[in-house]
Amino acid sequence: MTINTKTRLTLCTATLALLGTSVAAQELNLYTSREPGLVEPLLEAFTKETGVKVNTVFLKDGLAERVASEGEASPADLLMAVDAGNLADLVDKGLTQPVESEVLTAAVPENLRDPGKQWFALSMRARVVYAAKDLELDSITYEQLADPAWKGKLCIRSGQHPYNTGLFSAFLSHHGAEQTETWLEGVKANLARKAGGGDRDGAKDILGGICDIAVANSYYVGLMRSGKGGDEQRAWGDAIKVILPTFEDGGTHVNISGAAVAKYAPNKEEAVKLLEFLVSDEAQKIYGEANFEYPVKPGVALDPIVASFGELKVDPTPLTEIVANRAEASALVDKVGFDN
């Protein structure tokens, strides 16, 4: 059969149109509040493996507000944030959509994902206790932080900081409002200084003899001991040992980084593909190397510094339940004058 010139042109035009559609679909738009240095190694690995280009918008603050203001015209495909509360806010504002994925449900434990499949955890950081190296202390519960034996020996950042709001919300889940209020009063009574500063300041103040123990996030230890924060911070990290506290009836409290597919994602298929890649063994290992975080997928090797802390037994309380207590926890912090 002979194909005339007109037919050839028609076929070529159709082919180019199909190719154009295919090429356009081989990209996605990521909005994230995570630091570029933590995200870029993951995205580079994803693009190398899949050929899908990722256009990234880095937002220090206001992720939900940005997406909400763009409405149905938003180009955002995947929304990545730190803190379970920020992910819950995206859901509450109607900015996400559910994802059906056997890969995600198999890799991410049930208590670390939204029951409606709106968001999934990608990495964890534990709320731990830093202790002076020469202190005879090998284990502690969160409840024991209020023990009068620690009077004048405890350092912690603001009670209204999201890291502590998350811990206090978890305490509420375990013990209720009355016991949580009493506990907060006890913790405040044990402070060596006014609640404030950052988590690394806890290690610094232990080295300086201001306090014996401090409540802080696990990944800062890696940042200090690795030298990424400079020689001064390396000295802070070397001055402490890390204890993984637990609740008396549970495990160690963790918070997360995670992601959700945007409600109006123009490239949903690619967004899900990236989300699934982020829970792969390769990506989970990168998370640990880039920021000394815990992988959410069981069985993935830890960074040696993180592994030195001992076995992490994650508290089984669903993060969605903990997040629901945030307002009450914040109110209790003010009620006891924790930051005063």
Side-chain angles (χ1 to χ4, degrees), residues 153-181:
K153 300 177 180 180
L154 171 64
C155 288
I156 194 170
R157 72 193 305 162
S158 167
Q160 291 293 7
H161 191 278
Y163 295 165
N164 283 332
T165 303
L167 173 60
F168 302 163
S169 298
F171 201 97
L172 266 166
S173 291
H174 282 274
H175 297 295
E178 185 176 345
Q179 287 188 50
T180 301
E181 182 179 344

Side-chain angles (χ1 to χ4, degrees), residues 120-199:
F120 298 82
L122 302 174
S123 65
M124 299 183 292
R125 61 275 305 276
R127 200 72 179 143
V128 303
V129 167
Y130 299 169
K133 271 194 169 179
D134 59 353
L135 193 66
E136 293 184 8
L137 182 69
D138 297 318
S139 64
I140 193 171
T141 66
Y142 292 114
E143 289 83 357
Q144 288 173 330
L145 294 174
D147 190 316
W150 297 112
K151 187 173 180 64
K153 300 177 180 180
L154 171 64
C155 288
I156 194 170
R157 72 193 305 162
S158 167
Q160 291 293 7
H161 191 278
Y163 295 165
N164 283 332
T165 303
L167 173 60
F168 302 163
S169 298
F171 201 97
L172 266 166
S173 291
H174 282 274
H175 297 295
E178 185 176 345
Q179 287 188 50
T180 301
E181 182 179 344
T182 300
W183 177 75
L184 285 171
E185 289 173 340
V187 174
K188 180 189 176 186
N190 288 341
L191 295 181
R193 55 161 170 78
K194 182 179 178 180
D199 280 4

Side-chain angles (χ1 to χ4, degrees), residues 98-292:
V99 173
E100 294 290 341
S101 168
E102 293 182 3
V103 171
L104 291 168
T105 53
V108 184
E110 188 174 3
N111 62 313
L112 301 178
R113 49 184 159 90
D114 178 66
K117 302 178 181 179
Q118 299 277 348
W119 57 259
F120 298 82
L122 302 174
S123 65
M124 299 183 292
R125 61 275 305 276
R127 200 72 179 143
V128 303
V129 167
Y130 299 169
K133 271 194 169 179
D134 59 353
L135 193 66
E136 293 184 8
L137 182 69
D138 297 318
S139 64
I140 193 171
T141 66
Y142 292 114
E143 289 83 357
Q144 288 173 330
L145 294 174
D147 190 316
W150 297 112
K151 187 173 180 64
K153 300 177 180 180
L154 171 64
C155 288
I156 194 170
R157 72 193 305 162
S158 167
Q160 291 293 7
H161 191 278
Y163 295 165
N164 283 332
T165 303
L167 173 60
F168 302 163
S169 298
F171 201 97
L172 266 166
S173 291
H174 282 274
H175 297 295
E178 185 176 345
Q179 287 188 50
T180 301
E181 182 179 344
T182 300
W183 177 75
L184 285 171
E185 289 173 340
V187 174
K188 180 189 176 186
N190 288 341
L191 295 181
R193 55 161 170 78
K194 182 179 178 180
D199 280 4
R200 277 178 269 207
D201 288 321
K204 175 184 177 182
D205 289 344
I206 288 174
L207 177 62
I210 296 173
C211 44
D212 289 346
I213 61 173
V215 179
N217 275 354
S218 54
Y219 70 95
Y220 285 113
V221 180
L223 295 174
M224 290 186 289
R225 288 184 184 171
S226 67
K228 287 188 175 182
D231 290 341
E232 184 180 24
Q233 290 190 20
R234 190 198 297 270
W236 304 346
D238 289 342
I240 63 171
K241 58 184 176 182
V242 177
I243 299 171
L244 298 173
T246 62
F247 288 104
E248 291 174 351
D249 59 345
T252 300
H253 171 66
V254 299
N255 209 327
I256 62 163
S257 73
V261 174
K263 183 175 182 179
Y264 301 110
N267 302 298
K268 179 181 178 180
E269 182 179 342
E270 284 69 30
V272 173
K273 188 180 293 186
L274 174 56
L275 200 48
E276 291 178 340
F277 172 80
L278 292 173
V279 298
S280 67
D281 288 355
E282 178 185 0
Q284 289 287 289
K285 185 173 182 292
I286 292 173
Y287 266 114
E289 293 172 346
N291 201 43
F292 303 97

